[in-house]
Amino acid sequence: MTVAAGIGYALVALGPSLSLFVSVISRKPFLILTLLSSTLVWLVSLIILSGLWRPFLPLKANVWWPYALLVLSSVCFQEALRFLFWKLYMRLEDVLDSFADRISRPRLFLTDKLQIALAGGLGHGVAHAVFFCLSLLTPAFGPATFYVDRCSKVPFFLISAIIALAFVMIHTFSMVIAFEGYAKGNKVDQVIVPVIHLSAGMLTLVNFASEGCVIGVPLLYLVASLTLLHCGKMVWQRLIESRNQSGPTLR
């Protein structure tokens, strides 16, 4: 392999995130702060989880249930943290709205709230990609590549990047769904986000089977696509409802 290939793998994992950052996040300073704080929070959460599981490592490669327990505990921890992150955001929103009232400025628009949720989700996705993909790419810049027996057709680094991209999509748009679900008290959206997260995590266990990546990766992208579609439908409905309620004041 070469440096170009290593950079290519990094761009596979984070290229769409970079595009989203340039086109949406970078235009508003508070979105940049949300992205950075979210990335830090989720990186710390992953470090904490790795520390909690450290005494039990290494896990046996031929036994699947310890990995399933690892995925389940990680999802539960991160979903609880997602709810706390939303609570913190709501306090911040109240502060911003109060400040806007004092200076006779408009409160946060619906589009602002959706973009904040998007930035928070992107931070979660970027943290996942950094932790599970970019941290593995240092050897990828050397003169060779690396294959594993259970996915012998595709380089390990490329599979890692492809899986990381799927999780970036899932985490980014799941956060928008979750924030709206919490805000509106929508039980379906509140439940569907942990189900999506757990399903995606469990699908990675398919890679333990011989050539399991041939099945596991497409299924993972199916979950990511469904998450994107549900998020898009929900956002479209919210924008239509808000426009009907407020008329031309929606931005």
Side-chain angles (χ1 to χ4, degrees), residues 95-129:
V95 171
L96 292 175
D97 285 341
S98 298
F99 179 73
D101 291 339
R102 287 199 302 270
I103 63 175
S104 300
R105 299 287 293 178
R107 292 189 170 197
L108 290 174
F109 292 96
L110 173 62
T111 49
D112 294 325
K113 297 176 182 180
L114 292 173
Q115 287 175 353
I116 290 173
L118 184 71
L122 184 61
H124 190 183
V126 168
H128 182 99

Side-chain angles (χ1 to χ4, degrees), residues 1 5 21 26 30 57 63 68 81 90 107 146 161 177 179 181 194 202 238 247:
M1 271 184 53
F21 175 82
S26 63
F30 67 87
L57 299 179
V63 181
L81 184 60
M90 291 303 296
R107 292 189 170 197
F146 177 66
I177 298 171
F179 272 36
M202 290 301 181
R238 287 286 291 119

Side-chain angles (χ1 to χ4, degrees), residues 150-154 159 206-207 209-219:
R150 294 178 180 179
C151 190
S152 59
K153 306 298 183 181
V154 185
I159 283 293
V206 177
N207 296 325
S210 178
E211 304 300 333
C213 58
V214 176
I215 299 174
V217 172
L219 289 176

Side-chain angles (χ1 to χ4, degrees), residues 20 24-25 113-123 172-173 175-176:
L20 186 59
V24 179
I25 307 299
K113 297 176 182 180
L114 292 173
Q115 287 175 353
I116 290 173
L118 184 71
L122 184 61
T172 299
F173 299 109
M175 191 72 77
V176 180

Side-chain angles (χ1 to χ4, degrees), residues 7-79:
I7 294 174
Y9 291 156
L11 289 176
V12 167
L14 290 175
S17 301
L18 180 60
S19 299
L20 186 59
F21 175 82
V22 172
S23 61
V24 179
I25 307 299
S26 63
R27 298 176 183 274
K28 298 181 179 179
F30 67 87
L31 294 181
I32 297 176
L33 292 175
T34 302
L35 172 63
L36 293 176
S37 60
S38 176
T39 303
L40 178 61
V41 166
W42 295 111
L43 278 175
V44 170
S45 74
L46 290 170
I47 293 172
I48 291 173
L49 284 169
S50 63
L52 293 175
W53 274 91
R54 180 65 180 175
F56 304 99
L57 299 179
L59 301 177
K60 294 182 179 180
N62 58 344
V63 181
W64 66 269
W65 69 263
Y67 295 95
L69 184 60
L70 171 60
V71 171
L72 178 61
S73 62
S74 300
V75 169
C76 291
F77 180 83
Q78 291 199 1
E79 290 305 321

Side-chain angles (χ1 to χ4, degrees), residues 237-249:
Q237 290 175 344
R238 287 286 291 119
L239 291 173
I240 295 298
E241 291 172 3
S242 182
R243 183 167 58 183
N244 292 337
Q245 293 172 1
S246 58
T249 59

